[in-house]
Amino acid sequence: MRYVFKLVFLFVGVVIGAGFATGSEIVLYFKNSGYLSVLLASLIMGALSVIFCYFGKLQKKSKIVNNLSKIVVFLSSIVTYCVMISGTAELIYTQFGIKYFGIITGLIVAVLMLYDIRIVKVLNLIIVPLIVLIMIVILAISGGQIYTGIDFSSSLKYAGMNMLLGGYFMSEEGDKLSHKQIAMSGVLVTLVMALLMSVCYMISMQAPVSGMPVFEVARSYGLGVLAAIVVYLAIFTTLIGSGRAFADMILKIVPHKWFVFTLFFTLGCYFDGLDFAALVGFCYGEIGELGLMVCLMVICNMIYAVILKAKNNYKGLSNKLKI
C-alpha cells in the first residue's frame, strides 16, 4: 500500500502544476461545462491510470505506439516545464515582489535532476497532502461556486492532457505492480483527483475571468500568502515530475547528468518573466488533444495484445485437442 500511495501521489503531483493550482486550466476546460464534467474527468483519469499501468506490464508493445508516445511525452514535458517556470516567476513577483524566482526554482530542479526517481516520490508524498489541506482551508474561508451541466468532450480532453505525463509515470512503474495494486491505484487516482479538482473548481468559479482564479479569490479574503504557498508547491511537484520525464529521455541520448543540469537551468533563465496566462492558453488545449491521441494509441495496443493472446491460447487449445 505504501508503494501504491507513493505512485498515486507521484501521479497527482505531476498533473497539479501551476495551471491547476491557479485554477486557470480548470476554468479553461470547465467554465462552460459544469461541475459534473470535473467528476467525470477524474473518473476517466482513474480508468486510464489502470490502462497505462497494464501497458507498462505489456511484453509486446507496438514499436510505433511506444516510440510515438515517448516523443509526445518528451515534447509535452518540455512545454510543461517551461510553463511552470513562467508561472513561478509571475506568482512570486505578484505576491512578494521578488524577481527572478523562476530562475532560482529552475536551479533547484536542475540539482534534483542529478538524483533518481525516488526523491521525486518522497517529495510528492509530503507535498501533495499539504496542497490538499491548504486548498480546503481556502475553500472553507472563501465559500464556493458550482454550476450544473456536463460536457463529455471537456472531461476527455482534460484527462488526456494530464495522462501525457501522468500516464508516462504509471506505465514506467506499472510493471512492478500486482493486479490488486493496479486496481487500487486507479481507485485512489480517481478519489484524490476528484477531491482536488472539486475544491479547485469551486474556488475558481468565483473569479473565472482572472488569469489566476484561485490566487485572486484567496487574495480577496486576505489569504494571498497561503495561496502563493499552495500554488508554488503545486508548481514545484509538476516541475520535478515533468523534469524527471524530460531528463530520463535526454539521458538516453546524452548520458551526462551535467548536460541535463545546464539545459534545465538555461530554460529556467529564458522562461522566467514570460506571460503565464498566454502560455497556458496557447499550449494546454493542444496538449490535451495530443494526450487523447496517445491514450487512444495505448488503448488500441492493449486491445490488440488481448486479441493476440486469446488467439494464441485458442490455437494452443486446438492443438492439444487434436493430439
Side-chain angles (χ1 to χ4, degrees):
M1 282 304 299
R2 184 172 60 182
Y3 186 83
V4 170
F5 272 107
K6 283 183 179 180
L7 178 57
V8 170
F9 285 163
L10 173 63
F11 174 93
V12 175
V14 165
V15 303
I16 57 166
F20 177 88
T22 59
S24 57
E25 69 181 36
I26 290 289
V27 170
L28 179 67
Y29 279 93
F30 301 115
K31 180 173 67 173
N32 300 316
S33 58
Y35 175 65
L36 290 178
S37 300
V38 172
L39 298 181
L40 179 60
S42 64
L43 187 61
I44 293 171
M45 278 187 274
L48 288 173
S49 295
V50 171
I51 291 171
F52 272 90
C53 282
Y54 278 112
F55 182 69
K57 294 174 77 71
L58 196 64
Q59 298 299 317
K60 294 183 178 180
K61 297 185 181 74
S62 165
K63 288 185 178 180
I64 295 175
V65 173
N66 203 31
N67 292 335
L68 188 56
S69 63
K70 285 185 177 179
I71 291 170
V72 174
V73 169
F74 176 71
L75 294 174
S76 68
S77 64
I78 298 173
V79 171
T80 302
Y81 179 83
C82 295
V83 172
M84 294 303 105
I85 290 292
S86 170
T88 298
E90 186 172 323
L91 170 75
I92 300 301
Y93 181 73
T94 302
Q95 179 60 36
F96 303 107
I98 301 173
K99 292 184 177 180
Y100 311 121
F101 211 80
I103 297 174
I104 296 170
T105 303
L107 176 61
I108 295 170
V109 173
V111 171
L112 289 174
M113 290 308 102
L114 300 176
Y115 299 90
D116 62 26
I117 189 69
R118 283 176 294 180
I119 193 168
V120 179
K121 290 179 181 177
V122 172
L123 284 171
N124 282 323
L125 197 59
I126 299 167
I127 293 173
V128 170
L130 187 58
I131 291 171
V132 175
L133 179 62
I134 294 174
M135 290 196 76
I136 289 174
V137 170
I138 294 172
L139 176 63
I141 295 173
S142 67
Q145 182 71 50
I146 293 179
Y147 293 95
T148 57
I150 187 169
D151 179 17
F152 183 73
S153 175
S154 297
S155 301
L156 205 56
K157 288 179 181 178
Y158 186 77
M161 179 191 72
N162 286 319
M163 290 312 299
L164 273 176
L165 285 175
Y168 168 77
F169 284 106
M170 289 307 236
S171 64
E172 289 290 302
E173 301 293 316
D175 188 43
K176 306 167 189 175
L177 301 178
S178 67
H179 297 301
K180 185 177 180 180
Q181 286 175 318
I182 290 175
M184 184 61 68
S185 297
V187 171
L188 285 175
V189 165
T190 300
L191 293 176
V192 176
M193 288 305 300
L195 173 62
L196 266 171
M197 290 172 66
S198 296
V199 173
C200 187
Y201 175 87
M202 286 187 279
I203 297 171
S204 299
M205 287 303 105
Q206 298 177 67
V209 296
S210 171
M212 292 185 170
V214 171
F215 189 51
E216 187 66 32
V217 170
R219 288 183 73 188
S220 69
Y221 285 90
L223 302 172
V225 173
L226 201 60
I229 292 171
V230 72
V231 174
Y232 183 76
L233 290 174
I235 289 173
F236 192 74
T237 58
T238 298
L239 272 171
I240 58 176
S242 60
R244 186 72 266 163
F246 184 16
D248 286 346
M249 294 178 190
I250 287 289
L251 287 170
K252 290 177 182 178
I253 303 169
V254 185
H256 299 288
K257 287 187 175 182
W258 287 104
F259 174 79
V260 172
F261 173 88
T262 304
L263 179 60
F264 274 60
F265 183 60
T266 302
L267 287 172
C269 293
Y270 181 79
F271 281 89
D272 183 292
L274 294 187
D275 190 288
F276 168 71
L279 286 173
V280 170
F282 178 74
C283 299
Y284 276 36
E286 284 72 16
I287 290 176
E289 292 177 4
L290 284 173
L292 273 181
M293 181 183 72
V294 171
C295 290
L296 286 172
M297 289 192 300
V298 167
I299 291 170
C300 289
N301 194 174
M302 290 292 296
I303 293 172
Y304 173 75
V306 169
I307 293 172
L308 188 64
K309 185 177 180 180
K311 191 175 180 181
N312 290 336
N313 289 340
Y314 176 76
K315 283 183 179 180
L317 182 62
S318 298
N319 290 334
K320 285 182 180 180
L321 290 174
K322 286 178 182 179
I323 293 171

